[in-house]
Amino acid sequence: MTATSSETPRVDAVPVKHSRYRRVGASRGNFELWSWVFMRGSGILLLVLVFGHLFVNLMLGEGIHAVDFAFVGQKWSSPFWQVWDLLMLWLAELHGVNGVRTVINDYTEKNSTRWVLKALLFTSALLVMVLGTLVIFTFDPCIDPSSTLSVCSR
Amino acid sequence: MAQAANGTLYRGREGMWSWVAHRISGVLLFLFLFAHVLDTALVRVSPQAYNEVMDAYKNPVVGLGEAGLVAAVIFHALNGLRIIAVDFWAKGPRYQRQMFWAVAVGFVVLFVPFAIRHLSIVFSH
């Protein structure tokens, strides 16, 4: 990279040397680029996954009134909904973590505050993803003795 | 960091306010997701534990909260499409204001039928 002299014209809307915003921490590789790409890609997928989730759970049948253990058991006895919900869980949590990370970066002024908030953020995300994944795949719809699901009768 | 002493880049109108609403709805959805995964995890505890919590949710106050949640999802989703259009469509930045009003129309078209359906279930049980 060639050294830029202060006479080099810049294309910024506000030339850096005239800006009173401090711009710091320029070198983080391509991470921020990929995070930007991820937000758009996961956003499109989540639009389909979440709208489908809301339509099936809140609009069809008895709507929210039908949601109980048997309803969840019915859905998660199908690999289709297990995969759907797993994808939705991971994409939504990562999309949300990345969004809240941006919000924290924007509004915290002290390094210590930023560090603590991000530690809480990443810990909660890990908890949600691990717990959610375990629940989807270790769930047994037949622990309900009164279950009328066909997978539970033999 | 943007501070009052540095002047401001906030310009108001559709561009700024949609950005503010996108942030607020996003943070709300993130907080909801945390609670939603924890309460759904109760299916792994026992059917009774899960059903008790679901029954506790089945009241008009939570029902209105659910409507607010879906409103946040619809706005965040549609405005997200607008952001993608601003980023990837050559004319996106020029039409960002018109696209904001398209988001508002899409919001009404999706949310009103949902609210009628959902709230009639919530208030009839």
Side-chain angles (χ1 to χ4, degrees):
Chain A
M1 186 164 167
T2 55
T4 45
S5 74
S6 58
E7 281 82 49
T8 309
R10 296 189 56 108
V11 293
D12 304 25
V14 180
V16 168
K17 62 175 179 172
H18 295 148
S19 168
R20 283 180 292 179
Y21 288 90
R22 280 187 306 120
R23 291 178 169 91
V24 291
S27 166
R28 287 195 63 189
N30 276 337
F31 178 79
E32 293 299 340
L33 170 66
W34 288 114
S35 120
W36 177 87
V37 170
F38 172 78
M39 289 311 260
R40 276 123 193 99
S42 62
I44 297 272
L45 291 171
L46 281 166
L47 191 144
V48 176
L49 291 167
V50 173
F51 277 19
H53 178 70
L54 291 176
F55 187 77
V56 169
N57 290 23
L58 299 182
M59 293 295 276
L60 294 183
E62 275 282 276
I64 191 73
H65 193 67
V67 175
D68 59 8
F69 185 86
F71 178 88
V72 179
Q74 173 76 46
K75 275 188 95 180
W76 281 348
S77 49
S78 147
F80 176 84
W81 288 114
Q82 284 185 315
V83 172
W84 183 292
D85 286 357
L86 183 77
L87 266 177
M88 190 164 60
L89 169 73
W90 280 67
L91 289 174
E93 189 62 29
L94 291 173
H95 187 102
V97 160
N98 207 20
V100 175
R101 181 183 70 88
T102 305
V103 171
I104 292 173
N105 281 340
D106 276 357
Y107 300 120
T108 53
E109 299 194 359
K110 282 161 55 184
N111 284 338
S112 55
T113 317
R114 187 157 49 241
W115 192 90
V116 169
L117 289 177
K118 283 192 195 173
L120 281 173
L121 175 69
F122 296 143
T123 308
S124 79
L126 193 68
L127 171 75
V128 164
M129 289 195 292
V130 170
L131 178 68
T133 305
L134 282 175
V135 167
I136 292 173
F137 286 113
T138 64
F139 170 71
D140 174 14
C142 306
I143 55 170
D144 181 7
S146 61
S147 174
T148 53
L149 289 176
S150 56
V151 287
C152 302
S153 58
R154 4 176 150 188
Chain B
M1 179 80 195
Q3 289 173 326
N6 295 334
T8 180
L9 288 177
Y10 294 115
R11 289 165 177 232
R13 301 210 45 147
E14 293 89 339
M16 179 190 115
W17 291 110
S18 63
W19 171 84
V20 169
H22 202 77
R23 289 216 143 171
I24 293 174
S25 57
V27 170
L28 285 176
L29 293 173
F30 182 75
L31 295 175
F32 165 77
L33 181 62
F34 182 79
H36 187 51
V37 170
L38 291 192
D39 62 29
T40 305
L42 288 174
V43 296
R44 198 67 186 74
V45 176
S46 75
Q48 293 75 23
Y50 183 74
N51 286 341
E52 254 174 54
V53 171
M54 288 306 111
D55 285 340
Y57 285 166
K58 284 167 190 168
N59 65 68
V61 176
V62 177
L64 285 171
E66 287 156 355
L69 173 75
V70 172
V73 169
I74 294 174
F75 172 77
H76 201 84
L78 297 182
N79 192 57
L81 289 178
R82 170 177 162 275
I83 292 171
I84 292 172
V86 168
D87 285 348
F88 289 103
W89 177 36
K91 293 180 181 162
R94 193 189 308 165
Y95 291 113
Q96 64 88 9
R97 190 166 291 169
Q98 287 87 337
M99 286 194 290
F100 171 81
W101 292 105
V103 166
V105 170
F107 177 87
V108 171
V109 166
L110 290 174
F111 183 66
V112 169
F114 168 78
I116 292 170
R117 161 86 177 137
H118 182 70
L119 295 178
S120 62
I121 292 170
V122 167
F123 286 100
S124 68
H125 282 284

